[in-house]
Amino acid sequence: MLENRETSYFSSDHQSMIREMVRDFAQKNILPHVMEWDEEQIFPRELFGQMGALGLMGVLVPEHYGGAGLGYHEYVDVIVEIARVCGGIGLSLAAHNSLCTGHLLAFGNEEQKARWLPKLASGEWIGAWGLTEANTGSDALNMLTTAVLEGDHYVINGTKNWITHGKSGDIAVVMARTGNKGESGGISAFMIEKGTPGFTHGKKENKLGMRASETTELILDNIRVPKSNLLGLEGEGFKQAMKVLDGGRISIAALALGIAKGALDAAITYSQQRHQFGQPIANFQAISFKIADMATEVEAAELLIQRAAEWKNKGIPVTKASAMAKYYASEVAVKVATEAVQIFGGYGYTKDFPVEKFYRDAKLCTIGEGTSEIQKMVISREVLRAGKSD
C-alpha cells in the first residue's frame, strides 16, 4: 500500500485532494492488474475512459471544452501518482494530455478545439502524436513524410514510428514536410482522424518496459486530409512541436518522478520489514545511506519539476527549466530504481516484487521526448546564450 510520506511543493488543499483521489483510483483500478498488463502487453483502453470521467484525460483543458481546467502543478501530481503504480499507464496518460491534446489546445483554432477537445478530454477518444521517424529521431527537420496540397486537401505520405497509441488512438497530430528538408519552416502539423483511408498502423513494438503503453508505427499511405485540419499556418509545425515538447518534458519528468517515488516507497517498506542478523536491514548503514541518497535526489528532482510547472503556469519560457527537470528526474529514476533492486537483493530480480518493473520502466524516461544527451544540448545552449546562470 502506498503511503503519503510527503506533501507536494507549491501545494494546496485542493491539490492534496486531487492527489488522494488519483492515488485511490490507481490503487483500486491499476495496481491489481499491473503485472498482467505488463507481461501480456495489454493496453487497457477502458481504463482511460474511467480516467476521463475523473477529468484526468483533459487535466489542462478548460472546462468549457469539457476538461478539468487545472494547472501544471495539478497535472504533475496526476502523472506522478499514476506512474507511482504503473509507469506504462502514466506514460500513456502523459502522451495523451501533453502531446496530442496539448498541441491542439495550444495551436488549434476555435472550430478545431470545439470539434475535438471534448472527445479527448472525456476519454471518449485517445490521442496520438507523430513526429519521430525511423531514420530521423532527434533530427526531425530531415523527416521524409510529406504533405502536398491538392485543391482543398493535403495528400500525406510517410511513416512515423515510436508512436504512443499508434494503433488504438482515435486521432493524431502528425508533422509532415510541406517545404524543403532541413528547414524549420518546411514542416506543418495536421489533425488526422482514425478511419481516414490509408491511415493505418504498423508493428507494435515489443519493449523492455512501459509495456502497458501501446507503441506502434503510423503509416500514411496517400491519405487525403482537409485543409481545415491544418493546425495554425503552413510551415509552423516544427516550431509548434518544439513548444509542445517543452511542456512534454515536464510530463516525462513527472513520469520519472512517479517511478522513482514508487521504487523508493518499495525500498523503504522492504528495508524495514526484511530482517538479517536479528534486525531490519534499514538499521545497516549500507542500506540507510542508500535510502538517504535516493530520498534526497527524488526531492531535488521534484523541486526542479515544480519550478518548471510554476513557470509554465505563469507563461514564463520553460525551455531550459523543462529540459533540466526532464534530464535530472529521468536520470534519478534510473538510479533510484537500480538502488531499489539492490536493496531487495535477489528478490529484486524477480517479478514477485515491484522494483524490477520500476527498473525496466525508468530507462525510457532518459530516451523519450529527447534523450538525456539532447537535454544537455538544450540546457547548455540556453545557459551559454544567457551568458550567466539564473
Side-chain angles (χ1 to χ4, degrees):
M1 183 74 176
L2 293 177
E3 297 178 21
N4 188 11
R5 292 192 172 96
E6 80 298 314
T7 57
S8 183
Y9 301 98
F10 303 94
S11 192
S12 66
D13 290 341
H14 179 60
Q15 283 177 249
S16 296
M17 290 175 60
I18 292 171
R19 283 196 302 276
E20 289 297 330
M21 179 268 289
V22 177
R23 183 176 293 138
D24 183 65
F25 176 85
Q27 289 290 313
K28 292 179 179 178
N29 298 282
I30 299 176
L31 185 61
H33 309 288
V34 163
M35 291 313 297
E36 174 194 356
W37 293 343
D38 181 78
E39 291 281 335
E40 300 181 25
Q41 300 193 69
I42 294 171
F43 176 66
R45 176 63 180 84
E46 67 286 348
L47 179 76
F48 291 84
Q50 296 171 14
M51 289 196 287
L54 293 178
L56 306 186
M57 298 292 279
V59 179
L60 301 167
V61 175
E63 292 183 60
H64 61 273
Y65 294 122
L70 300 174
Y72 263 81
H73 292 307
E74 293 89 348
Y75 175 58
V76 165
D77 287 342
V78 167
I79 299 301
V80 166
E81 292 303 329
I82 295 295
R84 206 165 176 162
V85 174
C86 180
I89 302 302
L91 174 62
S92 278
L93 186 62
H96 172 91
N97 272 280
S98 69
L99 296 181
C100 180
T101 305
H103 197 140
L104 174 61
L105 181 61
F107 299 105
N109 59 39
E110 184 57 37
E111 181 181 348
Q112 292 168 334
K113 292 177 184 179
R115 179 180 176 186
W116 290 307
L117 281 178
K119 293 179 179 180
L120 290 165
S122 68
E124 178 186 349
W125 280 17
I126 288 182
W129 195 75
L131 175 66
T132 304
E133 297 180 5
N135 295 315
T136 57
S138 300
D139 185 20
L141 287 177
N142 283 305
M143 68 175 58
L144 299 179
T145 299
T146 59
V148 178
L149 184 60
E150 293 185 0
D152 291 331
H153 289 76
Y154 284 90
V155 179
I156 304 178
N157 284 281
T159 302
K160 301 290 182 178
N161 72 339
W162 309 115
I163 307 304
T164 305
H165 313 142
K167 176 182 177 181
S168 297
D170 299 282
I171 192 167
V173 178
V174 175
M175 270 56 68
R177 188 161 49 81
T178 50
N180 296 325
K181 288 178 66 176
E183 294 181 357
S184 62
I187 294 172
S188 302
F190 303 88
M191 298 294 298
I192 307 177
E193 295 186 18
K194 187 176 185 178
T196 301
F199 187 45
T200 58
H201 66 88
K203 69 169 184 175
K204 181 177 178 178
E205 303 295 344
N206 185 10
K207 299 174 298 186
L208 170 71
M210 305 288 197
R211 290 165 62 85
S213 179
E214 175 190 280
T215 307
T216 74
E217 294 177 316
L218 271 184
I219 299 171
L220 305 103
D221 183 13
N222 218 36
I223 70 168
R224 297 180 64 84
V225 177
K227 286 172 63 177
S228 59
N229 286 28
L230 175 69
L231 288 169
L233 300 176
E234 186 174 296
E236 291 183 340
F238 181 77
K239 293 178 182 178
Q240 292 176 7
M242 294 304 101
K243 290 179 181 178
V244 169
L245 286 174
D246 280 347
R249 285 165 181 156
I250 298 175
S251 296
I252 299 301
L255 178 67
L257 178 62
I259 292 169
K261 285 190 173 188
L264 177 58
D265 284 337
I268 291 170
T269 300
Y270 183 80
S271 70
Q272 293 172 328
Q273 294 176 346
R274 171 72 166 171
H275 283 65
Q276 291 284 274
F277 305 102
Q279 59 184 309
I281 63 173
N283 289 357
F284 298 112
Q285 194 175 82
I287 301 299
S288 65
F289 277 19
K290 285 184 185 293
I291 297 290
D293 286 339
M294 294 158 73
T296 300
E297 292 180 345
V298 165
E299 292 209 15
E302 183 159 22
L303 284 170
L304 281 171
I305 295 166
Q306 295 292 359
R307 182 185 70 163
E310 181 77 359
W311 288 9
K312 188 72 173 174
N313 280 342
K314 292 180 176 179
I316 300 171
V318 295
T319 300
K320 184 183 75 169
S322 64
M324 283 183 167
K326 196 269 188 189
Y327 165 57
Y328 187 74
S330 63
E331 294 292 339
V332 164
V334 171
K335 181 177 179 181
V336 168
T338 301
E339 290 287 55
V341 171
Q342 196 70 18
I343 289 169
F344 272 74
Y347 291 113
Y349 205 65
T350 72
K351 294 183 181 294
D352 294 328
F353 291 85
V355 289
E356 66 84 28
K357 182 176 182 299
F358 289 125
Y359 179 80
R360 289 185 289 108
D361 287 348
K363 187 57 189 173
L364 186 276
C365 297
T366 70
I367 299 170
E369 294 194 37
T371 63
S372 290
E373 290 75 19
I374 289 293
Q375 304 315 311
K376 290 181 182 182
M377 289 174 61
V378 171
I379 294 164
S380 61
R381 182 189 65 218
E382 294 296 312
V383 170
L384 292 170
R385 178 182 296 160
K388 60 180 180 180
S389 61
D390 286 340

